[in-house]
Amino acid sequence: MNVDPRNAPDTRFELQDVLQQPHRTDRQPNELSAQTSTPASGSEEQASFEQQLDDLDPDELNSVYLTSLPANCTTATSSPAPHERVPETSPYPATSFVNARAQLAATLTGATLAALRNEIDVAAHQSARWSPATSAPVDRDLVFDDVAGSSYVTLRRFQNQDNDCKPRAEENTRAISHIRNTARDHSSVGDPLERYTMDRARQAGWHMRGKTADSPFVSLVEDPSKRIVSRDHWARAIANNANTLHTYTVPTSAVWTPDDVLSSIGLGMNAEDQDTIDGDVDLMCSLGRTPTRETERLFLGGNLDDYRTGSEANPYKRDGAD
């Protein structure tokens, strides 16, 4: 269920989520870093943090790093005598610093791949000023591959227009705002068992069952080829009639899976709440019958277009379909 019916001529099935922002179809992955510039500090605290790092002497950094090493950790050089200057060959965790900054960009700001690459470049430039001249430069590509591989997931979406990727509710709320709000909701009630709040989990569950009119989610899939053999005739119709197939690389924290939704509803159900128990049981049974091969995933947020990394003509489009 990945295409908006308003843009699908001669079809009567429901295809969801439309985006108003224009899309640059000629954008290539290797052009992402070139399109970004160094972001300005977002707060006085960030500026202060950056200044403190700039003011540190390399010897101070080495000293901090060495005192944090475990007792059984060995280095290529012998331990210095008391009060002896740490030699310039002492290890400085430049790569760890850059990797940590990249992880924060992915998890705390919901960075796009372009913004992630930019943050790695900025952090590597900073660490180069503190590291000994003999230190090897940070392998930026390795850091990028590591963080992108662990904190992002690549999903696909059938669409008729480039801008058909906006939810029908809460369309102006960015994914990272939803993530922070969820964390805030959880912290306000302690440590709930369910991963998502019940209201959100129900919304996600009913979206997966086709009720998308008031949904803040956007549907995608891991494997688009599974849609052409789906037992859901609406899903097959989408795959057979959509004009394009788009690729999105999004933070995993913004993605909802059927198993996660099922678990949250099951753990959060209150058997004494007669107003919702019947609906929750029905929803769980419906989701439980969804074949695992469907690979449907939901994106919560109105800025899915920011994460687009590719686009192609739909290779599964049925001959003669308009």
Side-chain angles (χ1 to χ4, degrees):
M1 301 177 185
N2 306 94
V3 187
D4 194 299
R6 292 166 289 186
N7 295 311
D10 301 325
T11 57
R12 299 172 60 185
F13 49 86
E14 182 175 2
L15 317 166
Q16 59 252 33
D17 321 281
V18 191
L19 175 66
Q20 304 300 324
Q21 303 175 10
H23 165 52
R24 290 71 59 196
T25 56
D26 59 344
R27 182 171 61 188
Q28 299 298 323
N30 60 359
E31 296 175 339
L32 292 175
S33 61
Q35 296 175 0
T36 60
S37 57
T38 302
S41 297
S43 65
E44 293 182 1
E45 291 81 1
Q46 178 66 19
S48 176
F49 170 68
E50 300 287 354
Q51 187 59 52
Q52 291 178 56
L53 291 177
D54 287 342
D55 292 342
L56 283 175
D57 182 87
D59 289 336
E60 293 178 87
L61 288 166
N62 282 329
S63 177
V64 170
Y65 173 65
L66 289 174
T67 57
S68 67
L69 287 175
N72 62 350
C73 181
T74 60
T75 65
T77 59
S78 59
S79 300
H83 309 298
E84 182 180 343
R85 180 183 176 87
V86 178
E88 290 190 356
T89 55
S90 297
Y92 169 63
T95 297
S96 296
F97 169 78
V98 176
N99 190 284
R101 289 289 292 261
Q103 291 284 358
L104 290 175
T107 58
L108 296 185
T109 71
T112 64
L113 290 185
L116 175 66
R117 177 76 73 178
N118 185 74
E119 177 60 27
I120 291 172
D121 290 342
V122 171
H125 179 72
Q126 291 175 331
S127 66
R129 297 201 301 268
W130 312 323
S131 302
T134 56
S135 296
V138 174
D139 188 334
R140 303 182 189 189
D141 290 336
L142 183 62
V143 173
F144 178 85
D145 290 343
D146 177 55
V147 176
S150 63
S151 301
Y152 292 78
V153 59
T154 297
L155 301 172
R156 314 295 291 280
R157 177 174 169 80
F158 292 100
Q159 299 177 202
N160 275 331
Q161 303 293 332
D162 288 343
N163 60 359
D164 292 345
C165 57
K166 203 171 183 68
R168 294 178 177 173
E170 303 179 51
E171 63 181 30
N172 294 321
T173 304
R174 300 175 66 82
I176 192 62
S177 296
H178 280 304
I179 293 170
R180 290 169 179 166
N181 290 339
T182 298
R184 189 178 300 112
D185 290 342
H186 278 195
S187 64
S188 67
V189 296
D191 185 22
L193 292 175
E194 68 273 12
R195 176 179 176 184
Y196 309 119
T197 58
M198 281 293 288
D199 288 344
R200 283 293 188 209
R202 290 184 183 116
Q203 282 182 319
W206 287 119
H207 182 111
M208 291 177 177
R209 301 314 304 156
K211 297 182 179 181
T212 64
D214 299 311
S215 173
F217 294 92
V218 181
S219 291
L220 305 99
V221 292
E222 286 187 350
D223 186 351
S225 68
K226 302 298 184 183
R227 281 300 172 106
I228 62 175
V229 293
S230 173
R231 294 188 304 191
D232 185 339
H233 66 285
W234 300 124
R236 293 196 308 273
I238 293 169
N240 289 330
N241 289 275
N243 293 328
T244 57
L245 181 62
H246 293 261
T247 301
Y248 298 89
T249 305
V250 302
T252 54
S253 55
V255 176
W256 295 50
T257 71
D259 287 343
D260 291 333
V261 174
L262 259 176
S263 176
S264 293
I265 295 175
L267 291 173
M269 284 173 60
N270 183 353
E272 297 179 358
D273 188 352
Q274 298 302 317
D275 292 334
T276 60
I277 185 65
D278 291 340
D280 288 341
V281 170
D282 180 47
L283 179 55
M284 289 188 67
C285 291
S286 297
L287 290 176
R289 291 192 297 269
T290 302
T292 56
R293 64 175 177 272
E294 294 293 331
T295 71
E296 182 175 15
R297 301 291 180 261
L298 299 185
F299 176 85
L300 178 58
N303 62 319
L304 179 59
D305 181 62
D306 293 346
Y307 299 99
R308 183 181 285 128
T309 53
S311 178
E312 63 179 312
N314 179 12
Y316 307 103
K317 187 171 183 177
R318 185 180 56 206
D319 291 340
D322 293 327

